[in-house]
Amino acid sequence: MEEARGILVDTNILTSKKLKMLLSINEPLYITPTILLEYLNWAIESRNIWLREGNEKRAKGYEGLIKLFPKLLEELGINIIDQDIDKDDLKEITILITQRNIDPGDATNAITTKKKKLKTITQDKDWQRLQDYTKEIIFI
């Protein structure tokens, strides 16, 4: 498998106020299908919370984030990279989940960073337990 070289942008960066700092990075930026799903789940769950609270304006704001997500990725130069998870990877993912207490999404993304030789940009301290799976962790 060919190295991707670049940086995996963790979901918590995409949902933070630090998002625009990605414009200053001069390396290829990537998300995975797992991160795509996490982001969309976050946005739809947030929308649903505000709908239950009766705040349609805030709910519509999260709907707007969902609709604008493809444009945001394009503006930030973020590409979606395949994860190519196989049975051996799944075994390793389950070990990360059960032995290192890693979230399933992070475990899946860790396998991807290892296979593609990517760095990871995140605000999630759980990645400290995954330092052997990524070329470098950039905490912001």
PDB file of all heavy atoms in Angstrom, residues 51-83:
ATOM      1  N   LEU A  51     -33.755  20.792  18.413  1.00  0.00           N
ATOM      2  CA  LEU A  51     -35.168  20.629  18.049  1.00  0.00           C
ATOM      3  C   LEU A  51     -35.992  20.222  19.279  1.00  0.00           C
ATOM      4  O   LEU A  51     -37.095  20.749  19.485  1.00  0.00           O
ATOM      5  CB  LEU A  51     -35.332  19.588  16.945  1.00  0.00           C
ATOM      6  CG  LEU A  51     -35.019  20.052  15.528  1.00  0.00           C
ATOM      7  CD1 LEU A  51     -35.124  18.885  14.554  1.00  0.00           C
ATOM      8  CD2 LEU A  51     -35.918  21.206  15.100  1.00  0.00           C
ATOM      9  N   ARG A  52     -35.440  19.305  20.094  1.00  0.00           N
ATOM     10  CA  ARG A  52     -36.149  18.899  21.318  1.00  0.00           C
ATOM     11  C   ARG A  52     -36.299  20.061  22.290  1.00  0.00           C
ATOM     12  O   ARG A  52     -37.260  20.142  23.033  1.00  0.00           O
ATOM     13  CB  ARG A  52     -35.419  17.734  21.998  1.00  0.00           C
ATOM     14  CG  ARG A  52     -35.683  16.394  21.350  1.00  0.00           C
ATOM     15  CD  ARG A  52     -35.221  15.232  22.203  1.00  0.00           C
ATOM     16  NE  ARG A  52     -33.802  15.243  22.516  1.00  0.00           N
ATOM     17  CZ  ARG A  52     -32.839  14.762  21.743  1.00  0.00           C
ATOM     18  NH1 ARG A  52     -33.150  14.208  20.582  1.00  0.00           N
ATOM     19  NH2 ARG A  52     -31.586  14.803  22.118  1.00  0.00           N
ATOM     20  N   GLU A  53     -35.319  20.956  22.273  1.00  0.00           N
ATOM     21  CA  GLU A  53     -35.366  22.141  23.145  1.00  0.00           C
ATOM     22  C   GLU A  53     -36.291  23.211  22.580  1.00  0.00           C
ATOM     23  O   GLU A  53     -36.546  24.220  23.237  1.00  0.00           O
ATOM     24  CB  GLU A  53     -33.958  22.729  23.315  1.00  0.00           C
ATOM     25  CG  GLU A  53     -32.972  21.826  24.010  1.00  0.00           C
ATOM     26  CD  GLU A  53     -33.222  21.741  25.497  1.00  0.00           C
ATOM     27  OE1 GLU A  53     -33.625  22.752  26.103  1.00  0.00           O
ATOM     28  OE2 GLU A  53     -33.020  20.648  26.052  1.00  0.00           O
ATOM     29  N   GLY A  54     -36.766  23.012  21.356  1.00  0.00           N
ATOM     30  CA  GLY A  54     -37.657  23.976  20.726  1.00  0.00           C
ATOM     31  C   GLY A  54     -36.944  25.141  20.066  1.00  0.00           C
ATOM     32  O   GLY A  54     -37.565  26.149  19.728  1.00  0.00           O
ATOM     33  N   ASN A  55     -35.633  25.007  19.867  1.00  0.00           N
ATOM     34  CA  ASN A  55     -34.849  26.087  19.268  1.00  0.00           C
ATOM     35  C   ASN A  55     -34.589  25.740  17.796  1.00  0.00           C
ATOM     36  O   ASN A  55     -33.552  25.198  17.443  1.00  0.00           O
ATOM     37  CB  ASN A  55     -33.541  26.283  20.036  1.00  0.00           C
ATOM     38  CG  ASN A  55     -32.821  27.547  19.641  1.00  0.00           C
ATOM     39  OD1 ASN A  55     -32.935  28.013  18.511  1.00  0.00           O
ATOM     40  ND2 ASN A  55     -32.056  28.090  20.567  1.00  0.00           N
ATOM     41  N   GLU A  56     -35.551  26.082  16.955  1.00  0.00           N
ATOM     42  CA  GLU A  56     -35.439  25.757  15.534  1.00  0.00           C
ATOM     43  C   GLU A  56     -34.297  26.497  14.843  1.00  0.00           C
ATOM     44  O   GLU A  56     -33.689  25.974  13.920  1.00  0.00           O
ATOM     45  CB  GLU A  56     -36.762  26.036  14.822  1.00  0.00           C
ATOM     46  CG  GLU A  56     -37.795  24.971  15.093  1.00  0.00           C
ATOM     47  CD  GLU A  56     -38.997  25.081  14.171  1.00  0.00           C
ATOM     48  OE1 GLU A  56     -38.816  25.398  12.979  1.00  0.00           O
ATOM     49  OE2 GLU A  56     -40.105  24.844  14.678  1.00  0.00           O
ATOM     50  N   LYS A  57     -34.021  27.706  15.299  1.00  0.00           N
ATOM     51  CA  LYS A  57     -32.946  28.488  14.690  1.00  0.00           C
ATOM     52  C   LYS A  57     -31.593  27.786  14.863  1.00  0.00           C
ATOM     53  O   LYS A  57     -30.833  27.652  13.905  1.00  0.00           O
ATOM     54  CB  LYS A  57     -32.903  29.898  15.296  1.00  0.00           C
ATOM     55  CG  LYS A  57     -31.896  30.803  14.628  1.00  0.00           C
ATOM     56  CD  LYS A  57     -31.956  32.201  15.197  1.00  0.00           C
ATOM     57  CE  LYS A  57     -30.945  33.092  14.493  1.00  0.00           C
ATOM     58  NZ  LYS A  57     -30.925  34.448  15.003  1.00  0.00           N
ATOM     59  N   ARG A  58     -31.292  27.335  16.078  1.00  0.00           N
ATOM     60  CA  ARG A  58     -30.039  26.608  16.312  1.00  0.00           C
ATOM     61  C   ARG A  58     -30.025  25.290  15.545  1.00  0.00           C
ATOM     62  O   ARG A  58     -29.003  24.895  15.001  1.00  0.00           O
ATOM     63  CB  ARG A  58     -29.829  26.327  17.814  1.00  0.00           C
ATOM     64  CG  ARG A  58     -29.560  27.498  18.703  1.00  0.00           C
ATOM     65  CD  ARG A  58     -28.182  28.119  18.616  1.00  0.00           C
ATOM     66  NE  ARG A  58     -27.022  27.357  18.950  1.00  0.00           N
ATOM     67  CZ  ARG A  58     -26.410  27.357  20.126  1.00  0.00           C
ATOM     68  NH1 ARG A  58     -26.897  28.043  21.134  1.00  0.00           N
ATOM     69  NH2 ARG A  58     -25.311  26.667  20.294  1.00  0.00           N
ATOM     70  N   ALA A  59     -31.181  24.608  15.527  1.00  0.00           N
ATOM     71  CA  ALA A  59     -31.285  23.345  14.797  1.00  0.00           C
ATOM     72  C   ALA A  59     -30.972  23.561  13.316  1.00  0.00           C
ATOM     73  O   ALA A  59     -30.243  22.770  12.705  1.00  0.00           O
ATOM     74  CB  ALA A  59     -32.669  22.737  14.981  1.00  0.00           C
ATOM     75  N   LYS A  60     -31.520  24.612  12.741  1.00  0.00           N
ATOM     76  CA  LYS A  60     -31.268  24.928  11.327  1.00  0.00           C
ATOM     77  C   LYS A  60     -29.781  25.225  11.087  1.00  0.00           C
ATOM     78  O   LYS A  60     -29.244  24.935  10.018  1.00  0.00           O
ATOM     79  CB  LYS A  60     -32.105  26.125  10.881  1.00  0.00           C
ATOM     80  CG  LYS A  60     -33.578  25.816  10.760  1.00  0.00           C
ATOM     81  CD  LYS A  60     -33.885  25.209   9.436  1.00  0.00           C
ATOM     82  CE  LYS A  60     -35.391  25.071   9.290  1.00  0.00           C
ATOM     83  NZ  LYS A  60     -35.745  23.959   8.447  1.00  0.00           N
ATOM     84  N   GLY A  61     -29.128  25.806  12.102  1.00  0.00           N
ATOM     85  CA  GLY A  61     -27.705  26.071  11.986  1.00  0.00           C
ATOM     86  C   GLY A  61     -26.903  24.789  11.789  1.00  0.00           C
ATOM     87  O   GLY A  61     -25.983  24.735  10.972  1.00  0.00           O
ATOM     88  N   TYR A  62     -27.262  23.754  12.531  1.00  0.00           N
ATOM     89  CA  TYR A  62     -26.575  22.469  12.372  1.00  0.00           C
ATOM     90  C   TYR A  62     -26.921  21.814  11.039  1.00  0.00           C
ATOM     91  O   TYR A  62     -26.065  21.164  10.434  1.00  0.00           O
ATOM     92  CB  TYR A  62     -26.864  21.546  13.563  1.00  0.00           C
ATOM     93  CG  TYR A  62     -26.058  21.961  14.770  1.00  0.00           C
ATOM     94  CD1 TYR A  62     -26.620  22.738  15.773  1.00  0.00           C
ATOM     95  CD2 TYR A  62     -24.729  21.596  14.895  1.00  0.00           C
ATOM     96  CE1 TYR A  62     -25.875  23.145  16.873  1.00  0.00           C
ATOM     97  CE2 TYR A  62     -23.967  21.998  15.986  1.00  0.00           C
ATOM     98  CZ  TYR A  62     -24.550  22.773  16.969  1.00  0.00           C
ATOM     99  OH  TYR A  62     -23.800  23.176  18.048  1.00  0.00           O
ATOM    100  N   GLU A  63     -28.146  21.997  10.571  1.00  0.00           N
ATOM    101  CA  GLU A  63     -28.494  21.505   9.239  1.00  0.00           C
ATOM    102  C   GLU A  63     -27.621  22.206   8.193  1.00  0.00           C
ATOM    103  O   GLU A  63     -27.180  21.591   7.223  1.00  0.00           O
ATOM    104  CB  GLU A  63     -29.970  21.744   8.940  1.00  0.00           C
ATOM    105  CG  GLU A  63     -30.897  20.799   9.651  1.00  0.00           C
ATOM    106  CD  GLU A  63     -32.359  21.060   9.333  1.00  0.00           C
ATOM    107  OE1 GLU A  63     -32.663  21.701   8.300  1.00  0.00           O
ATOM    108  OE2 GLU A  63     -33.197  20.598  10.125  1.00  0.00           O
ATOM    109  N   GLY A  64     -27.390  23.486   8.414  1.00  0.00           N
ATOM    110  CA  GLY A  64     -26.525  24.240   7.506  1.00  0.00           C
ATOM    111  C   GLY A  64     -25.109  23.689   7.494  1.00  0.00           C
ATOM    112  O   GLY A  64     -24.478  23.611   6.430  1.00  0.00           O
ATOM    113  N   LEU A  65     -24.601  23.300   8.675  1.00  0.00           N
ATOM    114  CA  LEU A  65     -23.258  22.710   8.737  1.00  0.00           C
ATOM    115  C   LEU A  65     -23.180  21.421   7.928  1.00  0.00           C
ATOM    116  O   LEU A  65     -22.180  21.157   7.259  1.00  0.00           O
ATOM    117  CB  LEU A  65     -22.865  22.429  10.193  1.00  0.00           C
ATOM    118  CG  LEU A  65     -22.569  23.646  11.067  1.00  0.00           C
ATOM    119  CD1 LEU A  65     -22.275  23.202  12.501  1.00  0.00           C
ATOM    120  CD2 LEU A  65     -21.407  24.458  10.504  1.00  0.00           C
ATOM    121  N   ILE A  66     -24.243  20.634   7.988  1.00  0.00           N
ATOM    122  CA  ILE A  66     -24.273  19.387   7.220  1.00  0.00           C
ATOM    123  C   ILE A  66     -24.225  19.701   5.728  1.00  0.00           C
ATOM    124  O   ILE A  66     -23.425  19.121   4.982  1.00  0.00           O
ATOM    125  CB  ILE A  66     -25.532  18.570   7.569  1.00  0.00           C
ATOM    126  CG1 ILE A  66     -25.453  18.080   9.024  1.00  0.00           C
ATOM    127  CG2 ILE A  66     -25.712  17.399   6.603  1.00  0.00           C
ATOM    128  CD1 ILE A  66     -26.750  17.525   9.562  1.00  0.00           C
ATOM    129  N   LYS A  67     -25.053  20.632   5.299  1.00  0.00           N
ATOM    130  CA  LYS A  67     -25.112  20.974   3.872  1.00  0.00           C
ATOM    131  C   LYS A  67     -23.810  21.595   3.373  1.00  0.00           C
ATOM    132  O   LYS A  67     -23.416  21.393   2.225  1.00  0.00           O
ATOM    133  CB  LYS A  67     -26.275  21.925   3.616  1.00  0.00           C
ATOM    134  CG  LYS A  67     -27.627  21.267   3.802  1.00  0.00           C
ATOM    135  CD  LYS A  67     -28.751  22.279   3.671  1.00  0.00           C
ATOM    136  CE  LYS A  67     -30.097  21.642   3.959  1.00  0.00           C
ATOM    137  NZ  LYS A  67     -31.182  22.633   4.020  1.00  0.00           N
ATOM    138  N   LEU A  68     -23.150  22.364   4.227  1.00  0.00           N
ATOM    139  CA  LEU A  68     -21.919  23.048   3.823  1.00  0.00           C
ATOM    140  C   LEU A  68     -20.653  22.205   3.994  1.00  0.00           C
ATOM    141  O   LEU A  68     -19.574  22.639   3.603  1.00  0.00           O
ATOM    142  CB  LEU A  68     -21.777  24.348   4.625  1.00  0.00           C
ATOM    143  CG  LEU A  68     -22.775  25.444   4.284  1.00  0.00           C
ATOM    144  CD1 LEU A  68     -22.634  26.604   5.268  1.00  0.00           C
ATOM    145  CD2 LEU A  68     -22.587  25.926   2.856  1.00  0.00           C
ATOM    146  N   PHE A  69     -20.788  21.028   4.572  1.00  0.00           N
ATOM    147  CA  PHE A  69     -19.604  20.218   4.876  1.00  0.00           C
ATOM    148  C   PHE A  69     -18.749  19.924   3.639  1.00  0.00           C
ATOM    149  O   PHE A  69     -17.520  20.096   3.688  1.00  0.00           O
ATOM    150  CB  PHE A  69     -20.001  18.932   5.606  1.00  0.00           C
ATOM    151  CG  PHE A  69     -18.839  18.207   6.211  1.00  0.00           C
ATOM    152  CD1 PHE A  69     -17.966  18.849   7.090  1.00  0.00           C
ATOM    153  CD2 PHE A  69     -18.608  16.884   5.922  1.00  0.00           C
ATOM    154  CE1 PHE A  69     -16.895  18.181   7.659  1.00  0.00           C
ATOM    155  CE2 PHE A  69     -17.540  16.197   6.485  1.00  0.00           C
ATOM    156  CZ  PHE A  69     -16.681  16.851   7.358  1.00  0.00           C
ATOM    157  N   PRO A  70     -19.335  19.509   2.507  1.00  0.00           N
ATOM    158  CA  PRO A  70     -18.478  19.280   1.329  1.00  0.00           C
ATOM    159  C   PRO A  70     -17.694  20.529   0.910  1.00  0.00           C
ATOM    160  O   PRO A  70     -16.514  20.446   0.573  1.00  0.00           O
ATOM    161  CB  PRO A  70     -19.472  18.862   0.240  1.00  0.00           C
ATOM    162  CG  PRO A  70     -20.642  18.311   0.991  1.00  0.00           C
ATOM    163  CD  PRO A  70     -20.728  19.144   2.246  1.00  0.00           C
ATOM    164  N   LYS A  71     -18.339  21.681   0.970  1.00  0.00           N
ATOM    165  CA  LYS A  71     -17.666  22.942   0.605  1.00  0.00           C
ATOM    166  C   LYS A  71     -16.554  23.266   1.599  1.00  0.00           C
ATOM    167  O   LYS A  71     -15.479  23.723   1.211  1.00  0.00           O
ATOM    168  CB  LYS A  71     -18.692  24.073   0.555  1.00  0.00           C
ATOM    169  CG  LYS A  71     -18.104  25.395   0.103  1.00  0.00           C
ATOM    170  CD  LYS A  71     -19.162  26.468   0.024  1.00  0.00           C
ATOM    171  CE  LYS A  71     -18.514  27.766  -0.418  1.00  0.00           C
ATOM    172  NZ  LYS A  71     -19.414  28.890  -0.391  1.00  0.00           N
ATOM    173  N   LEU A  72     -16.799  23.018   2.876  1.00  0.00           N
ATOM    174  CA  LEU A  72     -15.780  23.261   3.903  1.00  0.00           C
ATOM    175  C   LEU A  72     -14.539  22.418   3.631  1.00  0.00           C
ATOM    176  O   LEU A  72     -13.417  22.934   3.667  1.00  0.00           O
ATOM    177  CB  LEU A  72     -16.338  22.940   5.298  1.00  0.00           C
ATOM    178  CG  LEU A  72     -15.327  23.035   6.437  1.00  0.00           C
ATOM    179  CD1 LEU A  72     -14.949  24.481   6.711  1.00  0.00           C
ATOM    180  CD2 LEU A  72     -15.892  22.376   7.686  1.00  0.00           C
ATOM    181  N   LEU A  73     -14.735  21.143   3.353  1.00  0.00           N
ATOM    182  CA  LEU A  73     -13.596  20.271   3.058  1.00  0.00           C
ATOM    183  C   LEU A  73     -12.826  20.777   1.852  1.00  0.00           C
ATOM    184  O   LEU A  73     -11.592  20.800   1.857  1.00  0.00           O
ATOM    185  CB  LEU A  73     -14.064  18.833   2.826  1.00  0.00           C
ATOM    186  CG  LEU A  73     -14.674  18.104   4.017  1.00  0.00           C
ATOM    187  CD1 LEU A  73     -15.078  16.693   3.616  1.00  0.00           C
ATOM    188  CD2 LEU A  73     -13.745  18.084   5.215  1.00  0.00           C
ATOM    189  N   GLU A  74     -13.556  21.217   0.830  1.00  0.00           N
ATOM    190  CA  GLU A  74     -12.908  21.733  -0.375  1.00  0.00           C
ATOM    191  C   GLU A  74     -12.104  23.003  -0.060  1.00  0.00           C
ATOM    192  O   GLU A  74     -10.955  23.132  -0.480  1.00  0.00           O
ATOM    193  CB  GLU A  74     -13.966  22.028  -1.434  1.00  0.00           C
ATOM    194  CG  GLU A  74     -13.379  22.445  -2.756  1.00  0.00           C
ATOM    195  CD  GLU A  74     -14.461  22.667  -3.808  1.00  0.00           C
ATOM    196  OE1 GLU A  74     -15.445  21.907  -3.837  1.00  0.00           O
ATOM    197  OE2 GLU A  74     -14.287  23.628  -4.584  1.00  0.00           O
ATOM    198  N   GLU A  75     -12.693  23.921   0.683  1.00  0.00           N
ATOM    199  CA  GLU A  75     -12.006  25.176   1.016  1.00  0.00           C
ATOM    200  C   GLU A  75     -10.759  24.948   1.855  1.00  0.00           C
ATOM    201  O   GLU A  75      -9.781  25.683   1.732  1.00  0.00           O
ATOM    202  CB  GLU A  75     -12.960  26.120   1.746  1.00  0.00           C
ATOM    203  CG  GLU A  75     -14.015  26.720   0.846  1.00  0.00           C
ATOM    204  CD  GLU A  75     -15.012  27.600   1.588  1.00  0.00           C
ATOM    205  OE1 GLU A  75     -14.895  27.761   2.820  1.00  0.00           O
ATOM    206  OE2 GLU A  75     -15.933  28.122   0.924  1.00  0.00           O
ATOM    207  N   LEU A  76     -10.795  23.944   2.717  1.00  0.00           N
ATOM    208  CA  LEU A  76      -9.647  23.650   3.572  1.00  0.00           C
ATOM    209  C   LEU A  76      -8.646  22.694   2.909  1.00  0.00           C
ATOM    210  O   LEU A  76      -7.598  22.404   3.465  1.00  0.00           O
ATOM    211  CB  LEU A  76     -10.111  23.063   4.903  1.00  0.00           C
ATOM    212  CG  LEU A  76     -10.899  24.021   5.797  1.00  0.00           C
ATOM    213  CD1 LEU A  76     -11.491  23.281   6.990  1.00  0.00           C
ATOM    214  CD2 LEU A  76     -10.025  25.184   6.256  1.00  0.00           C
ATOM    215  N   GLY A  77      -8.996  22.206   1.735  1.00  0.00           N
ATOM    216  CA  GLY A  77      -8.099  21.290   1.028  1.00  0.00           C
ATOM    217  C   GLY A  77      -8.017  19.920   1.673  1.00  0.00           C
ATOM    218  O   GLY A  77      -6.986  19.258   1.593  1.00  0.00           O
ATOM    219  N   ILE A  78      -9.104  19.494   2.294  1.00  0.00           N
ATOM    220  CA  ILE A  78      -9.126  18.195   2.974  1.00  0.00           C
ATOM    221  C   ILE A  78      -9.730  17.153   2.036  1.00  0.00           C
ATOM    222  O   ILE A  78     -10.805  17.343   1.487  1.00  0.00           O
ATOM    223  CB  ILE A  78      -9.954  18.266   4.276  1.00  0.00           C
ATOM    224  CG1 ILE A  78      -9.325  19.271   5.251  1.00  0.00           C
ATOM    225  CG2 ILE A  78     -10.057  16.883   4.912  1.00  0.00           C
ATOM    226  CD1 ILE A  78     -10.156  19.518   6.495  1.00  0.00           C
ATOM    227  N   ASN A  79      -9.002  16.057   1.865  1.00  0.00           N
ATOM    228  CA  ASN A  79      -9.472  14.954   1.036  1.00  0.00           C
ATOM    229  C   ASN A  79      -9.922  13.791   1.907  1.00  0.00           C
ATOM    230  O   ASN A  79      -9.461  13.640   3.039  1.00  0.00           O
ATOM    231  CB  ASN A  79      -8.362  14.483   0.085  1.00  0.00           C
ATOM    232  CG  ASN A  79      -8.043  15.538  -0.939  1.00  0.00           C
ATOM    233  OD1 ASN A  79      -8.886  15.921  -1.732  1.00  0.00           O
ATOM    234  ND2 ASN A  79      -6.812  16.040  -0.915  1.00  0.00           N
ATOM    235  N   ILE A  80     -10.796  12.974   1.366  1.00  0.00           N
ATOM    236  CA  ILE A  80     -11.240  11.768   2.061  1.00  0.00           C
ATOM    237  C   ILE A  80     -10.361  10.619   1.587  1.00  0.00           C
ATOM    238  O   ILE A  80     -10.233  10.388   0.384  1.00  0.00           O
ATOM    239  CB  ILE A  80     -12.725  11.472   1.782  1.00  0.00           C
ATOM    240  CG1 ILE A  80     -13.580  12.662   2.227  1.00  0.00           C
ATOM    241  CG2 ILE A  80     -13.160  10.192   2.505  1.00  0.00           C
ATOM    242  CD1 ILE A  80     -15.029  12.589   1.792  1.00  0.00           C
ATOM    243  N   ILE A  81      -9.746   9.938   2.539  1.00  0.00           N
ATOM    244  CA  ILE A  81      -8.827   8.849   2.217  1.00  0.00           C
ATOM    245  C   ILE A  81      -9.479   7.519   2.582  1.00  0.00           C
ATOM    246  O   ILE A  81     -10.149   7.402   3.601  1.00  0.00           O
ATOM    247  CB  ILE A  81      -7.479   9.051   2.955  1.00  0.00           C
ATOM    248  CG1 ILE A  81      -6.411   8.125   2.422  1.00  0.00           C
ATOM    249  CG2 ILE A  81      -7.635   8.916   4.455  1.00  0.00           C
ATOM    250  CD1 ILE A  81      -5.014   8.487   2.896  1.00  0.00           C
ATOM    251  N   ASP A  82      -9.318   6.521   1.719  1.00  0.00           N
ATOM    252  CA  ASP A  82      -9.867   5.194   1.989  1.00  0.00           C
ATOM    253  C   ASP A  82      -9.174   4.568   3.189  1.00  0.00           C
ATOM    254  O   ASP A  82      -7.982   4.786   3.413  1.00  0.00           O
ATOM    255  CB  ASP A  82      -9.692   4.278   0.782  1.00  0.00           C
ATOM    256  CG  ASP A  82     -10.590   4.663  -0.376  1.00  0.00           C
ATOM    257  OD1 ASP A  82     -11.650   5.265  -0.146  1.00  0.00           O
ATOM    258  OD2 ASP A  82     -10.227   4.337  -1.512  1.00  0.00           O
ATOM    259  N   GLN A  83      -9.913   3.753   3.920  1.00  0.00           N
ATOM    260  CA  GLN A  83      -9.329   3.100   5.091  1.00  0.00           C
ATOM    261  C   GLN A  83      -8.872   1.676   4.805  1.00  0.00           C
ATOM    262  O   GLN A  83      -8.003   1.171   5.506  1.00  0.00           O
ATOM    263  CB  GLN A  83     -10.314   3.148   6.260  1.00  0.00           C
ATOM    264  CG  GLN A  83     -10.469   4.591   6.727  1.00  0.00           C
ATOM    265  CD  GLN A  83     -11.181   4.745   8.042  1.00  0.00           C
ATOM    266  OE1 GLN A  83     -12.391   4.766   8.064  1.00  0.00           O
ATOM    267  NE2 GLN A  83     -10.432   4.867   9.104  1.00  0.00           N
TER     268      GLN A  83
END
